Amino acid sequence: MEDPCKARQVLGIVGDKWAMLVVRMLKDGPRRFTELKRSVEGISQRMLTVTLRDLERDGIVTRTVLAVMPPHVSYELTPMGRTLREATAPLLEWSIEHLPHIDAARAAYDNR
Amino acid sequence: MEDPCKARQVLGIVGDKWAMLVVRMLKDGPRRFTELKRSVEGISQRMLTVTLRDLERDGIVTRTVLAVMPPHVSYELTPMGRTLREATAPLLEWSIEHLPHIDAARAAYDNR
DNA sequence: CGGTATCCTCAGTGATACTG
DNA sequence: CAGTATCACTGAGGATACCG
């Protein structure tokens, strides 16, 4: 809470353009690559792969490959991934409450 | 909490490379431009200006100019800014608890 | 002191094509 | 299906210089 370096590191994870949107889609259980691709609107195949690799590397998701044809790969939040998701919940609640105010503030600011 | 679009918008604010670090430095009261420049390590003058403008536009900080020479400009969190800061607190706590695990997970992943 | 104005670079991202 | 490989581009951000 006191160390700005930690703040910087969390930003490296949650500040990522796609990471939290992917984590979000995994909150109700494992999902396959293509499911994620469909549900995270606007993400490219490449960025989904990159994002999932990073999350896997950080111990936030697991990657499970079923050696069948065609391939079947599913991703799931680790216990740590679930705690991360919970830690971001207040922020989502905040956004629901305040985003309209922000839009209003912006409009007011731009009218000058 | 359900709308992915909102998640995207919050990311636009908290996901910014510098915004949360600046907000953090304002948590104990108003700070002057140069104070912020010194305390947010590594930020350029340009990015501090840009970041503060955005935060002001979004209604998260106020900008107060004292028309003296030399100029004196101080920034302060708005009430909404303070609620934002509170909403990010769980994330900071999470980081203190889990960042070591993440480092370990990365090291393990890279050793392959 | 607290900015703006410019220029420039490069990391992040998308598009596309190919593959086990 | 779930990637990898390449290329090309854009814009976030640094460096520098100047200003009220």
Side-chain angles (χ1 to χ4, degrees):
Chain A
M1 198 175 76
E2 304 303 330
D3 185 352
C5 280
K6 292 206 190 299
R8 221 175 280 258
Q9 284 188 66
V10 210
L11 280 176
I13 300 167
V14 306
D16 183 90
K17 186 176 178 185
W18 299 109
M20 284 301 103
L21 299 174
V22 170
V23 166
R24 183 188 171 69
M25 291 309 170
L26 292 173
K27 72 188 167 79
D28 295 322
R31 291 288 180 269
R32 297 180 57 175
F33 186 89
T34 309
E35 283 184 281
L36 291 171
K37 174 109 176 55
R38 270 197 310 267
S39 56
V40 180
E41 194 177 356
I43 197 169
S44 65
Q45 189 162 20
R46 179 186 137 76
M47 285 319 295
L48 181 54
T49 301
V50 170
T51 302
L52 286 168
R53 283 289 175 283
D54 288 347
L55 291 172
E56 188 195 0
R57 185 168 104 103
D58 287 350
I60 290 170
V61 308
T62 56
R63 177 171 182 268
T64 309
V65 183
L66 273 64
V68 295
M69 198 58 190
H72 180 122
V73 181
S74 89
Y75 294 89
E76 185 172 14
L77 290 180
T78 62
M80 184 165 75
R82 274 189 289 278
T83 65
L84 171 59
R85 161 102 191 113
E86 284 155 22
T88 61
L91 217 43
L92 265 303
E93 286 167 29
W94 182 91
S95 72
I96 291 174
E97 197 179 335
H98 294 95
L99 246 25
H101 300 342
I102 290 191
D103 288 340
R106 270 186 208 180
Y109 185 96
D110 293 344
N111 272 345
R112 290 188 282 137
Chain B
M1 199 176 76
E2 304 305 330
D3 185 352
C5 279
K6 292 206 189 298
R8 222 176 280 258
Q9 283 188 67
V10 209
L11 279 176
I13 300 167
V14 307
D16 183 89
K17 185 176 177 184
W18 298 110
M20 283 300 103
L21 299 175
V22 169
V23 166
R24 182 188 174 67
M25 290 310 169
L26 292 172
K27 72 187 168 78
D28 295 322
R31 291 287 181 269
R32 297 179 58 174
F33 186 89
T34 311
E35 284 184 281
L36 291 171
K37 175 108 175 52
R38 271 196 308 267
S39 56
V40 181
E41 194 177 356
I43 197 169
S44 66
Q45 187 161 23
R46 179 185 137 77
M47 285 319 296
L48 181 55
T49 302
V50 169
T51 302
L52 285 168
R53 283 289 176 283
D54 288 347
L55 290 173
E56 187 195 1
R57 185 167 103 103
D58 287 351
I60 290 170
V61 308
T62 56
R63 178 171 183 269
T64 310
V65 183
L66 273 65
V68 295
M69 199 57 188
H72 181 122
V73 181
S74 88
Y75 294 89
E76 186 172 12
L77 289 180
T78 62
M80 185 165 74
R82 274 189 290 279
T83 65
L84 172 58
R85 161 100 192 114
E86 285 155 22
T88 62
L91 215 44
L92 265 303
E93 286 167 30
W94 182 89
S95 71
I96 291 174
E97 198 179 332
H98 294 95
L99 246 25
H101 300 343
I102 291 190
D103 289 339
R106 269 186 208 180
Y109 185 95
D110 292 343
N111 271 346
R112 291 189 282 138

